[in-house]
Amino acid sequence: MTESMTVIATTECTDALLPVVGAGLPVPLVTGASVPYANLDYAASAPALRAVAEHLATALPYYASVHRGAGYASQVSTALLENSRSCIGRFLGAREDDLVVFTRNTTDALNLLAHCVPQGGSVLYLDIEHHANLLPWQRRGDVVLEAAPTLRETLADLEAALAATPTALLAVTGASNVTGQLLPVKELAAIAHRHGARIAVDAAQLAPHRRISLTESGVDYLVLSGHKLYAPYGAGVLVGRRDWLDAAPAYLAGGGAVREVGTAATDWATGPARHEGGTPNVLGAAALARACEELATVGGAALAAHEDALRRRLLAGLADLPEISVLRIWADDEVASGEVDANTTDESIGVVSFTVAGQHAGWVAAYLSAEHGIGVRDGRFCAHPLVSKLGLAADGAIRASFGVGSTSADVDRLLAALRTLLAKGASWKYELVDGRYAPVDDPRAIPDFAGPRSSVSSPCQAD
Ligand SMILES: Cc1ncc(COP(=O)(O)O)c(C=O)c1O
């Protein structure tokens, strides 16, 4: 399912849309030189917005226990947590009685939702999902549907599956973390509701890149991670309908999740508190809320236009390199355009994955980092079924991803580095170390504050 791209080259420069912490960070090359870091790995973890870092610097002196403290700093921290909750709900167009539950990240939020699906209720999901929106359902024995060769056929297959079998929940991604392709969430919500099912959208990739409103789209549940939304301080959310969440047993049994505890029985809290046992991550919540506010000032159309310009520039450059194949799940995804936001100018977010013929993806990623100071992701992107479906080898692909801090200079550097690789090869030698490619005798020191270099790699990478 790879295809050669026909794209129009653009020479206009694109600047960053918002300032991020770490822009222009000097990083060492194996040659001994130093260059500004080209961060093209936003889809894994995006840099913090400067406004987020400043907000946290303001909040940190007041950091104290929340909900149960009588002290002034506790009152400030409690207000900060609860106002952050409301702010995130507003940003996501939550309905009046929707809950905003703080979690650690999207994975945690989806596991919480899986825990709250009413007993006996079945969940339908696609095989193109990130593992976070696949494993909680697979573990429950839910129903997986293979995505068809086109989006239209996939939507028809989903409708047929929902019509054939009573289903409690359809769980889908809003945008693919492998290809960046958007799914038509409003249309999917209508399909689910026609057959009495609810819909949950994994917005880990969607929300940082496009505006999404629960109210306008009809989506019942939405999950996301702060660290992908320019707020890397360890908070995520599950937002959505109250009834399932209030009826389910507490997700984390412990302090804060209760009204009254006896040695024999407990009166559990309802609302977000029921599933937020233990001390909440107030700074993570505040960071996420501040990032939402900042993105809201930019607006959905500007976000989409900025990424679209960068994506087109990258695709135009890659189209000139016949050794490179860009990954797509569906070729007909233009029908998704405009579903999420009427002002959306393209059908994909700023995520482009590709392979280089004859080159191991991890080797290319190591080369880009060591010789050009460019950060990309390689491997199978925690989407093993999709990567197999795309017919890729076990090393997977290379993924370039960008967002509000990215510029056309970042994209041009990636293209120049790939051209050099294909014309002249690498100038350093690389070897496999614990399953990951690394420069032989890597001379780049890790700064002291981080401690010694770690070779531990995620099993999701190129395994
Ligand atoms: C589409 C999608 N869903 C879920 C996740 C999981 O996010 P987290 O690791 O923050 O839980 C990711 C992370 O890459 C993702 O891209």
Side-chain angles (χ1 to χ4, degrees), residues 43 105-107 130 132 173 177 202 204-205 225 227-228:
N105 47 36
T106 302
T107 305
H130 185 283
T173 191
N177 67 308
D202 171 355
Q205 296 298 341
S225 296
H227 72 98
K228 293 183 196 292

Side-chain angles (χ1 to χ4, degrees), residues 43-45 104-110 128-133 173-178 202-206 223-228 235-236 377 381-382 399:
S45 282
R104 284 177 293 172
N105 47 36
T106 302
T107 305
D108 195 25
L110 284 163
I128 60 162
E129 299 289 337
H130 185 283
H131 296 166
N133 194 28
T173 191
S176 166
N177 67 308
V178 177
D202 171 355
Q205 296 298 341
L206 176 64
V223 293
L224 58 81
S225 296
H227 72 98
K228 293 183 196 292
R377 183 84 169 216
F381 317 116
C382 294
R399 181 181 70 189

